[in-house]
Every structure is written in structure tokens, then in C-alpha cells.
């Protein structure tokens, strides 16, 4: 069977797999033999979790350069590991770092790179990536024409499932030969962000997003999000104003989300905002201006004052659950 | 060396205006490039370059900001706009054989073009093109040029020959440092782009734009375009446009109507 490399970053948060890794391993299993390439330590717990997803072969490096310099050393690890196991494909997550690792692995292996895949299928041994382009207005199928395909995959491209029979993961250490040029951008400080305790935007089934209409008070949006178990998003106007972390921004230069339900509150619906949310299954909009462009794409729209509509909806949900 | 003049190359892409409907056409599903403009996100790269040059005395002190684009004949407009905003010169890489280049072929040709420009202190790019939206050209360019990669900078400083950037991730915010020469990509958080003014528009008329063909940058036709690309788009379909659904005006119970809607859709 052909080896399919899945990159797993354990540098910042070692010990466990992230849901995206479960998804990537599930995809890899459908395409060949999954090989986990791990930056950072591989403890017994992680090895067992990898085994349960069908990984028999783990290649890892804990070299300090992987943590000390931006992106390039991790890309060299992945490229050298992929060459060592003669991989037919490399799958990485679609974070900025994931895409950049894909980009550099493409250069190192002279391999075609496809980013932002929302699905990957196997066409007689060749991987076909499905992606949505032009701010979600088109969908395309793309494939690499090279011996190796490098694909960065968005969350929820597949339902993750453990392997029918667990494998025993054999862990090999790889001594990466770093090129001097890859040790040029040093990470001199790391400041962890505070966690909101709410679901992450890209993982959430429901997103409630607020804009300039909130006028500095995200309370109504957070209360609705919490009764729905939703993630909180925002327009750039709201993040630029400092009402909420930039990490919550949805849109062209923020997160691109496609949840089951997106509730847009006090957001006008500019093209750059739509670019991050118009592939959502169901869109609900609350805005006091009936002319707002967001109503052109809303499945259910309420022309009204968010400070009245949202608290009433929260009360009603609580009442029905009581 | 502390305050020596800088040679900066800014990569600007000519892209279809996102305000209009955009389409893929033809057998190889290429983007229809009518109604195009200088990519909005590359204005942040240009601003970053101009601010660094200004801090060292601008063009008068010998700092250069070269706007470089790769694209069809009409892409010269992106370079011209950059000159009006303040770039000191422009380079347009244009060749029929480049049509249909993917990110890999594009970064290969851009790297060759940068090499022909002589010693460069900084290559500055946008965070993403607004058409391809891949964010992979900057990383590939850094790899091909052997430059430190300082990407997704939401703030940027230059002290002597040390660049310092902040890169905001979901879990951590990182401070990244590199020595010149380096490649930097900036986000839309990095600055507030300036607009061209009347003086700038007049001054741009006297500035030089050099057009380079593939042979000028020493790249074979087969290494770029469809022939040199390492990916293919095999199918494309326009997503049916979203249509407006039910719109109600609040008369006092819209919050309850909202919950009814969510319940009917089995979302709660
Ligand atoms: C390069 C670039 C990149 C960008 N990237 C992004 C991006 O990623 N994401 C993004 O969102 N934007 C982005 N933008 C900005 C975008 O163009 C808009 O400016 C922004 O989305 C507007 O945010 P908003 O809808 O919250 O504010 P506004 O457009 O000001 O809209 C506020 C809305 O709130 C409504 N409102 C006010 N009070 C109430 C109330 N009490 N009850 C109900 N409704 C109320 C108003 O009717 C109005 O429609 C980008 C812009 C540029 C130039
Ligand atoms: N054809 C091009 N000409 C000039 N710059 C480009 C071109 N393609 C990409 N770039 C630069 O690379 C950045 C990222 O583009 P991309 O990888 O396509 O998302 C852009 O913001 C530009 O600065």
C-alpha cells in the first residue's frame, strides 16, 4: 500500500490529537497506509491514539529547531519524512502554518499543492481535492499532476472514525537535516491567548456573529451563543474596534466558516464578510436596516433591534427547555 | 549599516474586483480577468514598504520600492497604481507562456524575476491574493530564494538589519525576528494603506516600468503556464446563488419567531 503522510504538530500542545488530525488520519486511511509525521514528542498516550486510528508507522523529531524557528524547519521534517517513506501524498491542516508547510513541501518535493480542500476523494489511486473558490461562489475539483500530492484540508471534510482494528504504532526517530536558510526566522516570544471556553469557530455547528451594531456590547451575542452551544464570531468592524479578539473575525481576512447555522447580528453583510460565511447551511440575520445586503443571503431575516430580539430569543429557548 | 538605504520589492497582483461576479471559463477553468484591479490586500504590502522606506528618508535618501507584478498585459495597471501610491519603480513580468500558471509556477517565475533585480533587502507580499486565496506564494518564494520567511505579520518593525514581526495565531501570538535580507508577508492588521494623491499621480508619469519576458528572467516556457504547473483543475461549477428567504419585521415577538424558525429547521 502507498504511504500517505499526515503531519501532526505537537510542539505547542503535546499529548493529544486535535479533531482535525482524526479527520486527516481517516482520509489517509481511505487513500492508503497512514504514516504520522510528528513534530515534537510522542508519548505512550499519543502513540495509542494514533494506533486506534490505524497508524502503524510514526516518524517523529523532537529537535529544538522545530520550535525555535517559524514554519521552515517543520516543512523540512515533513518533506524529508515523506521522501523516506516514499509517500504518495501529504495531508496537513489548513491553518496558516499548515498551508505554508504544504507550500514549502511542494517546493522541496517538486509536488503539486492544493489548499483549502473541503473534501478529498480517491480516483483510482489519485487524490482529488474538492474546494470552494472565489469567496465560496464556485466549487472546483483539483488534483496534483506530480508523483506526490500535497493537500491542506479544512475541518469537517470527513466524519472522523477510528480504524476497525487498532494498529500498534511503531515510532521511528528522524534526524532532520536543516538547511541554513530554514533557520532564518526565529521565534523570540510566544504569548498564549486566553481561551473563551466556547467552541472554536471552525469546529462549531452553530456560529453567532456580531458586528458594529453591537456598539461595544457583545453580551447579547454571547448569551445567545451560550444557550445554543455556539461559537462567537465577529465582523472586522467589531474586531478593529477592540470589542472582541481578532481571532473571532469571520471573512476574507478572518476565518472561513461553514456551520449548520450562522446567526449574523448587527452586521451589514459586506462582500468581505460574506466571503467567510456564505457557504453556511442556514443563515439567520438580525439587523435594524431592511436594506442591509445581509438580507439578500439570509434564509430567515429579522428587521429589528438586536437588543430586543436577542434577549427575547434567549428567554424563549430557556422557557422551552425548562 | 544602521540606517543604510533599503531596496524593497513589493509583490502586487492584478486581480478581478471582488465587488463584481467572478467566473471560471474555458476547458481549463481559468478565471475571467475582466474588471480587474490591484489586489486590495497587496495595498497593505505596499504601505509596509513605503513606511519602512520613509523612515529612512524615502526616495531622496536612495531607498527604492519596486512594485513587481506577474500577469497579462493589463496587469501593468497594478504597477501603475502602485507608482501613483508611492513606489519608486515598477516591473511587469509578462509572457503568453505564463497563462494558466498555478502557485508553484508563479512562485518559480517571481523568484527568477526577483533575482534579476540585483541585491534586495526585503521582499514584501500581501497575506493572500483575493483571487487564488491560497497564501502559498510567499512561503514558496521564501523557500526558492533561500530567504527567512516572516509571514502573516500583523505588525512589522525594522531596526538596523533586524526585522521583527508579530504573527497572531489562534492559540498563541508569536514574535518573529530575522536578519535582512528577508521575505515578509503582511496582513490587513499591519497598517492603514495610503491613497494616491494628485502629486503622486503626476509623479507616477515620470517613473519607470520595465516589462520582462520569460527569457529576460531566464525561465523556460515549459517551466511555467499550464505545462509547468503541478496541479490541474478538472471540474468547476458555479454554486447556485443564495436567495433571500423569509424576512420579518419585529413587532414585538420576533425573538420568538426566531426560535420557531430554529425549531422548525431542527437546529435546536
Ligand atoms: C482588505 C479588507 C479586508 C476585510 N476583511 C473583512 C473580514 O474578513 N471580515 C469582515 O467582516 N469584514 C472585513 N472587511 C470590512 C468590511 O468591508 C466591512 O467594513 C465590515 O464587514 C463591516 O462590519 P459591520 O457589518 O459590523 O459594520 P457596518 O457595515 O457598520 O454594519 C453595522 C450594521 O449593524 C446594524 N445595526 C446597528 N445597530 C443595530 C441594532 N441595534 N440592532 C440591529 N442592527 C443594528 C446596522 O443597520 C448595520 O447594517 C474588510 C475590509 C477590507 C478593506
Ligand atoms: N501574479 C502575481 N504577481 C505579483 N504578486 C503575486 C502574484 N501572485 C501572488 N503574488 C503575491 O503573493 C501574495 C499571496 O498570494 P497567493 O499565494 O496567491 O494567495 C499576494 O498577496 C501577492 O503579494
Amino acid at each position: 500500500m502507498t504511504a500517505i503522510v499526515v503531519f501532526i504538530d505537537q510542539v505547542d500542545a503535546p499529548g493529544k490529537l486535535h479533531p482535525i488530525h482524526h479527520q486527516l488520519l481517516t482520509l489517509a486511511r481511505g487513500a492508503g497506509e497512514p504514516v504520522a509525521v510528528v513534530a515534537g514528542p510522542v508519548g505512550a498516550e499519543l502513540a495509542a491514539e494514533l494506533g486506534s486510528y490505524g497508524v502503524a508507522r510514526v516518524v517523529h523529531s523532537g529537535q529544538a529547531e522545530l520550535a525555535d524557528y517559524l514554519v521552515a524547519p517543520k516543512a523540512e521534517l515533513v518533506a524529508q519524512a515523506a521522501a523516506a517513506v516514499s509517500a504518495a501524498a501529504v495531508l496537513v491542516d489548513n491553518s496558516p502554518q499548515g498551508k505554508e508547510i504544504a507550500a514549502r513541501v511542494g517546493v522541496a518535493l517538486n509536488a503539486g499543492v492544493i489548499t483549502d480542500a473541503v473534501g478529498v476523494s480517491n480516483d483510482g489511486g489519485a487524490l482529488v481535492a474538492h474546494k470552494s473558490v472565489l469567496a465560496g461562489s464556485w466549487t472546483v475539483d483539483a488534483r496534483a499532476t506530480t508523483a506526490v500530492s500535497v493537500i491542506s484540508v479544512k475541518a469537517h471534510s470527513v466524519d472522523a472514525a477510528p480504524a476497525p482494528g487498532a494498529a500498534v504504532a511503531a515510532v521511528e526517530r528522524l534526524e532532520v537535516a536543516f538547511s541554513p536558510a530554514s533557520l532564518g526566522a526565529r521565534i523570540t516570544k510566544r504569548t498564549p491567548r486566553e481561551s473563551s471556553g466556547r467552541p472554536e469557530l471552525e469546529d462549531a455547528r452553530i456560529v453567532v456573529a456580531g458586528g458594529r451594531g453591537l456598539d461595544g456590547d457583545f453580551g447579547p451575542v454571547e448569551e445567545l451563543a451560550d444557550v445554543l452551544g455556539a461559537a462567537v464570531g465577529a465582523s472586522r468592524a467589531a474586531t478593529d474596534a477592540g470589542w472582541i479578539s481578532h481571532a473571532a473575525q469571520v471573512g476574507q481576512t478572518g476565518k472561513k466558516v461553514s456551520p449548520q447555522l450562522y446567526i449574523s447580528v448587527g452586521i451589514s453583510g459586506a462582500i468581505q464578510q460574506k466571503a467567510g460565511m456564505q457557504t453556511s447551511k442556514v443563515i439567520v440575520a438580525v439587523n435594524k436596516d431592511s436594506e442591509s445586503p445581509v438580507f439578500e443571503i439570509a434564509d430567515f431575516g429579522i428587521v429589528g433591534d438586536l437588543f430586543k430580539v436577542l434577549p427575547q430569543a434567549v428567554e424563549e429557548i430557556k422557557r422551552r427547555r425548562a | 549599516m544602521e540606517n543604510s538605504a533599503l531596496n524593497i520589492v513589493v509583490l502586487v497582483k492584478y486581480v478581478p474586483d471582488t465587488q463584481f461576479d467572478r467566473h471560471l471559463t474555458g476547458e481549463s477553468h481559468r478565471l475571467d480577468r475582466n474588471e480587474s484591479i490591484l489586489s486590495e490586500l497587496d495595498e497593505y504590502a505596499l504601505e509596509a514598504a513605503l513606511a519602512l522606506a520613509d523612515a529612512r528618508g524615502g526616495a531622496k535618501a536612495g531607498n527604492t520600492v519596486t512594485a513587481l507584478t506577474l500577469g497579462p498585459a493589463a496587469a501593468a495597471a497594478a504597477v501603475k497604481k502602485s507608482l501613483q501610491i508611492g513606489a519608486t519603480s515598477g516591473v511587469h513580468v509578462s509572457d503568453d507562456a505564463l497563462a494558466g500558471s498555478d502557485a508553484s509556477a508563479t512562485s518559480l517565475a517571481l523568484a527568477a524575476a526577483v533575482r534579476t533585480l540585483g541585491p534586495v533587502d526585503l521582499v514584501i507580499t500581501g497575506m493572500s491574493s483575493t483571487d487564488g486565496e491560497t497564501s502559498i506564494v510567499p512561503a514558496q518564494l521564501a523557500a526558492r530564494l533561500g530567504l527567512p520567511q516572516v509571514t502573516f505579520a500583523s505588525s512589522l518593525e525594522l531596526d538596523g538589519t533586524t526585522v521583527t514581526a508579530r504573527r497572531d495565531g489562534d492559540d498563541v501570538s508569536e514574535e518573529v525576528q530575522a536578519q535582512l535580507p528577508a521575505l515578509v508577508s503582511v496582513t490587513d492588521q499591519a497598517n492603514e494603506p495610503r491613497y494616491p494623491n494628485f502629486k503622486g499621480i503626476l509623479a507616477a508619469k515620470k517613473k519607470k516600468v520595465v516589462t520582462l519576458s520569460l527569457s529576460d528572467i531566464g525561465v523556460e516556457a515549459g517551466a511555467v503556464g499550464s505545462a509547468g504547473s503541478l496541479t490541474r483543475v478538472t471540474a468547476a461549477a458555479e454554486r447556485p446563488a443564495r436567495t433571500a428567504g423569509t424576512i420579518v419585521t419585529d413587532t414585538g415577538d420576533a425573538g420568538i419567531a426566531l426560535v420557531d424558525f430554529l425549531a422548525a429547521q431542527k437546529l435546536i
Side-chain angles (χ1 to χ4, degrees):
Chain A
M1 275 237 274
T2 53
I4 311 289
V5 158
V6 171
F7 173 62
I8 293 171
D9 193 343
Q10 291 280 303
V11 169
D12 281 333
K16 268 183 145 9
L17 294 177
H18 187 274
I20 184 68
H21 298 137
H22 294 149
Q23 295 158 19
L24 294 178
L25 291 169
T26 306
L27 283 174
R29 240 174 33 229
E33 186 201 337
V35 175
V37 172
V38 181
V42 183
E45 192 192 0
L46 187 75
E49 204 182 351
L50 287 168
S52 72
Y53 275 81
V55 178
R57 192 166 181 195
V58 180
V59 179
H60 102 105
S61 164
Q63 287 161 277
E65 289 88 342
L66 295 167
D68 292 348
Y69 299 89
L70 197 69
V71 178
K74 289 176 185 166
E76 288 190 325
L77 162 64
V78 177
Q80 289 170 31
V85 305
S86 308
V90 173
L91 304 180
V92 296
D93 69 80
N94 200 55
S95 62
Q97 171 179 280
K99 287 187 183 200
E100 294 187 326
I101 289 173
R104 296 186 73 110
V105 169
V107 171
L109 301 179
N110 193 38
V113 182
I114 300 164
T115 62
D116 303 277
V118 295
V120 177
S121 53
N122 190 345
D123 179 16
L127 294 186
V128 180
H130 312 284
K131 56 185 278 186
S132 76
V133 298
L134 301 178
S137 58
W138 283 69
T139 55
V140 300
D141 289 350
R143 60 170 82 192
T145 54
T146 46
V148 183
S149 314
V150 184
I151 307 177
S152 72
V153 185
K154 296 176 77 159
H156 305 301
S157 298
V158 66
D159 288 326
V168 178
V171 182
E172 311 157 32
R173 235 182 110 243
L174 179 76
E175 187 73 29
V176 185
F178 297 111
S179 66
S182 76
L183 307 180
R186 185 185 279 278
I187 299 170
T188 44
K189 205 191 308 177
R190 275 201 171 78
T191 316
R193 282 169 173 274
E194 257 174 68
S195 159
S196 67
R198 297 194 175 84
E200 289 185 39
L201 270 174
E202 279 126 321
D203 296 334
R205 213 174 67 88
I206 303 179
V207 172
V208 185
R212 201 195 308 271
L214 289 172
D215 202 15
D217 177 10
F218 258 72
V221 159
E222 289 172 348
E223 278 162 33
L224 181 59
D226 289 345
V227 292
L228 294 172
V232 171
S235 72
R236 194 176 99 169
T239 58
D240 279 357
W243 301 339
I244 184 164
S245 155
H246 173 63
Q249 185 184 316
V250 172
Q252 182 192 50
T253 54
K255 302 270 159 56
K256 312 253 186 338
V257 300
S258 327
Q260 296 293 313
L261 169 65
Y262 188 90
I263 306 184
S264 162
V265 180
I267 296 179
S268 59
I271 184 94
Q272 295 94 344
Q273 156 72 201
K274 283 201 254 174
M277 47 68 80
Q278 66 182 351
T279 57
S280 303
K281 265 262 170 49
V282 176
I283 297 175
V284 169
V286 181
N287 193 304
K288 69 178 183 192
D289 175 8
S290 66
E291 304 286 308
S292 283
V294 69
F295 288 125
E296 292 162 15
I297 58 163
D299 298 289
F300 187 68
I302 294 174
V303 181
D305 182 355
L306 72 93
F307 293 102
K308 299 209 174 93
V309 177
L310 263 60
Q312 187 180 48
V314 170
E315 280 319 305
E316 180 65 11
I317 293 167
K318 286 185 180 157
R319 194 185 63 78
R320 291 191 191 186
R321 282 186 185 152
Chain B
M1 275 307 285
E2 186 59 20
N3 275 325
S4 58
L6 297 168
N7 288 318
I8 307 178
V9 175
V10 186
L11 293 185
V12 292
K13 193 174 181 188
Y14 183 67
V15 298
D17 193 335
T18 53
Q19 302 291 341
F20 298 103
D21 273 346
R22 295 178 291 172
H23 290 272
L24 301 176
T25 59
E27 239 171 81
S28 43
H29 311 292
R30 284 188 197 156
L31 186 57
D32 180 348
R33 293 192 172 275
N34 288 322
E35 318 263 25
S36 291
I37 53 166
L38 161 65
S39 174
E40 202 171 27
L41 292 175
D42 294 344
E43 292 182 16
Y44 296 87
L46 180 58
E47 178 60 37
L50 294 173
L52 292 176
D54 286 350
R56 298 218 171 167
K60 277 189 224 80
N63 293 282
T64 64
V65 174
T66 305
L68 168 61
T69 196
L70 180 156
V79 172
K80 286 201 189 102
K81 175 93 184 276
S82 306
L83 295 177
Q84 293 176 344
I85 296 173
T88 51
S89 65
V91 175
H92 178 194
V93 179
S94 196
D95 200 301
D96 289 344
L98 284 164
S101 294
D102 69 356
S104 169
T106 301
S107 66
L108 182 120
L110 285 170
V114 170
R115 278 193 214 101
T116 64
L117 299 179
V120 166
D121 298 301
L122 275 163
V123 177
I124 307 186
T125 78
M127 66 188 283
S128 156
S129 56
T130 55
D131 54 351
E133 301 174 276
T134 66
S135 298
I136 64 182
V137 167
Q140 294 202 323
L141 206 52
R144 294 190 194 280
L145 292 170
L147 293 176
Q149 176 193 320
V150 182
T151 41
F152 291 101
S154 55
S155 76
L156 181 65
E157 277 163 45
L158 178 64
D159 183 6
T161 58
T162 307
V163 282
T164 305
R166 195 179 75 239
R167 172 168 161 129
D168 294 325
D170 282 345
D171 307 324
V172 289
S173 176
E174 293 161 325
E175 183 187 88
V176 183
Q177 272 186 359
Q179 292 301 308
L180 299 185
L183 178 135
V184 174
S185 81
V186 296
T187 75
D188 62 336
Q189 301 290 302
N191 55 48
E192 212 35 82
R194 66 190 74 178
Y195 293 105
N197 57 27
F198 185 64
K199 223 176 108 200
I201 292 168
L202 280 184
K205 299 203 165 120
K206 295 195 210 89
K207 293 176 184 168
K208 210 167 79 183
V209 179
V210 178
T211 305
L212 300 177
S213 66
L214 281 179
S215 64
D216 294 329
I217 59 173
V219 171
E220 299 287 330
V224 294
S226 311
S229 290
L230 309 180
T231 55
R232 287 260 179 293
V233 173
T234 52
E238 189 163 13
R239 211 182 254 272
R242 277 198 103 96
T243 47
T246 314
I247 312 289
V248 300
T249 300
D250 186 22
T251 51
D253 56 3
I256 293 162
L258 170 55
V259 181
D260 286 340
F261 173 81
L262 297 182
Q265 297 280 322
K266 302 201 165 33
L267 288 162
I268 50 169

